[in-house]
């Protein structure tokens, strides 16, 4: 999907807009999980999530190739929907964002603060996504998918930072929504020729990716009812699954109770507040008992 030179070029673009995020070893967290645990602090980006990296690269590529006159439209539960207007605002590009009913009021407010026009449609992310695609076709807008090669190349820069700053990692746990994060980690791991296993994490109440990984087919679920809204997806992206199927060691399911416990653990041991999806990697590492291993978890 990208070469080493293309990845470095993406990192240069990202770092022109934001500082690299730290990867820190917290002794209390390591003691609680029984291993040598490193936290990649993607909560320290301008929008509080790794997705902003993808937005920066996506919009940069769009500006180079020519922006559609009508602007952009996308669907989100919040983090992707912040990344696009954040990156588009300096260029004056209008962005419409569809969110489902009952979406986080704080996320909606944050997206609007970056300049997005928020529209509410559907009972979940996937219904919002389908409607956004329909509007894009009807009105001649560019639909920004949650999984796209430019987005993946951008978010992969956090994996580059991690692997360059923390060597000899046994395992990296990565939460999965539509898959850009884990695919970026897998691709960078492979580009660097590392043996680190990459483990995906989903909510057991939104486990379409886990089912698809286990069966080798695209499996949709009827619902995705988890408070970890960043992972609340019913329909996996086939191009993401191709990378996950080939490069992930496994996909772990965690319960909402396990995620909530990880939120509390991260707060008590690192004094960082994680949203549900951001704590999921820690929940999986705790569930799998990483004793004796050198492990990284993405916090977003």
């Amino acid at each position: 999907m990208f070469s080493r030179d293309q990845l470095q070029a993406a990192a240069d673009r990202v770092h022109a807009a934001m500082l690299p995020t730290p990867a820190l070893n917290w002794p209390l967290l390591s003691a609680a999980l029984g291993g040598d645990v490193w936290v990649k602090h993607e909560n320290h980006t301008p929008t509080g999530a790794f997705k902003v990296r993808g937005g920066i690269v996506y919009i940069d590529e769009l500006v180079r190739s020519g922006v559609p006159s009508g602007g952009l439209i996308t669907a989100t539960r919040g983090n992707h929907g912040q990344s696009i207007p954040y990156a588009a605002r300096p260029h004056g590009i209008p962005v419409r964002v569809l969110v489902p009913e009952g979406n986080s009021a704080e996320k909606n407010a944050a997206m609007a603060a970056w300049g997005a026009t928020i529209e509410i449609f559907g009972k979940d992310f996937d219904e919002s996504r389908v409607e956004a695609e329909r509007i894009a076709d009807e009105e001649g807008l560019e639909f920004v998918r949650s999984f796209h090669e430019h987005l993946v190349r951008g978010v992969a820069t956090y994996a580059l930072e991690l692997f360059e700053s923390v060597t000899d990692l046994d395992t990296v746990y990565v939460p999965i929504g539509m898959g850009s994060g884990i695919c970026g980690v897998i691709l960078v791991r492979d580009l660097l020729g590392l043996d680190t296993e990459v483990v995906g994490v989903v909510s057991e109440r939104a486990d379409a990716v886990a089912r698809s990984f286990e069966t080798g087919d695209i499996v949709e679920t009827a619902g995705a009812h988890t408070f970890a809204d960043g992972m609340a997806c019913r329909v996996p992206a086939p191009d993401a699954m191709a990378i996950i199927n080939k490069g992930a060691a496994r996909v772990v399911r965690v319960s909402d109770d396990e995620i909530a416990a990880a939120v509390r653990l991260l707060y008590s041991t690192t004094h960082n507040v994680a949203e549900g999806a951001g704590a999921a990697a820690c929940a999986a590492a705790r569930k799998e008992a990483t004793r004796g291993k050198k492990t990284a978890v993405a916090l977003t």
Side-chain angles (χ1 to χ4, degrees), residues 70-76 81-82 84-86 88-89 93-99 107-121 132 135 139 141:
L72 312 179
I73 188 168
T74 193
T76 189
Q82 291 182 70
I84 300 304
Y86 168 86
R89 185 167 70 168
I93 303 170
V95 179
R96 293 166 62 182
V97 178
L98 269 64
V99 301
K107 292 275 183 72
N108 290 352
M111 289 184 281
W114 290 120
T117 299
I118 308 300
E119 301 175 25
I120 299 172
F121 183 91
I135 293 172
E139 300 185 18
L141 308 178

Side-chain angles (χ1 to χ4, degrees), residues 142-164:
E142 167 139 339
F143 174 65
V144 185
R145 297 187 293 134
S146 297
F147 189 90
H148 185 281
E149 61 178 307
H150 298 333
L151 297 177
V152 174
R153 193 189 324 152
V155 301
T157 61
Y158 95 70
L160 180 63
E161 293 171 8
L162 173 63
F163 288 130
E164 287 186 338

Side-chain angles (χ1 to χ4, degrees), residues 78-274:
N79 291 333
H80 170 70
Q82 291 182 70
S83 73
I84 300 304
Y86 168 86
R89 185 167 70 168
H91 303 283
I93 303 170
V95 179
R96 293 166 62 182
V97 178
L98 269 64
V99 301
E101 299 166 2
N103 199 53
S104 164
E106 291 82 4
K107 292 275 183 72
N108 290 352
M111 289 184 281
W114 290 120
T117 299
I118 308 300
E119 301 175 25
I120 299 172
F121 183 91
K123 72 177 188 299
D124 61 20
F125 162 75
D126 290 288
E127 289 193 357
S128 298
R129 174 183 55 78
V130 171
E131 177 65 6
E133 289 185 87
R134 186 195 66 78
I135 293 172
D137 289 340
E138 184 177 272
E139 300 185 18
L141 308 178
E142 167 139 339
F143 174 65
V144 185
R145 297 187 293 134
S146 297
F147 189 90
H148 185 281
E149 61 178 307
H150 298 333
L151 297 177
V152 174
R153 193 189 324 152
V155 301
T157 61
Y158 95 70
L160 180 63
E161 293 171 8
L162 173 63
F163 288 130
E164 287 186 338
S165 62
V166 185
T167 59
D168 301 323
L169 282 167
D170 295 306
T171 308
V172 179
Y173 289 89
V174 187
I176 303 176
M178 291 304 292
S180 63
I182 188 172
C183 289
V185 174
I186 289 169
L187 292 168
V188 174
R189 187 259 329 257
D190 293 347
L191 272 179
L192 298 180
L194 303 175
D195 295 326
T196 306
E197 66 173 9
V198 178
V199 178
V201 187
V202 299
S203 167
E204 65 181 22
R205 302 181 68 183
D207 67 343
V209 168
R211 296 188 192 194
S212 299
F213 180 80
E214 291 159 359
T215 63
D217 294 319
I218 299 298
V219 179
E220 301 181 12
T221 57
H225 306 295
T226 171
F227 86 94
D229 53 12
M231 303 192 297
C233 304
R234 293 187 291 106
V235 184
D239 38 1
M241 286 309 310
I243 297 171
I244 295 168
N245 288 341
K246 183 178 179 181
R250 56 194 173 278
V251 178
V252 178
R253 295 172 176 84
V254 289
S255 69
D256 276 12
D257 286 345
E258 289 168 331
I259 294 171
V263 170
R264 295 191 293 271
L265 178 64
L266 285 163
Y267 183 75
S268 65
T269 58
T270 77
H271 301 292
N272 282 262
V273 178

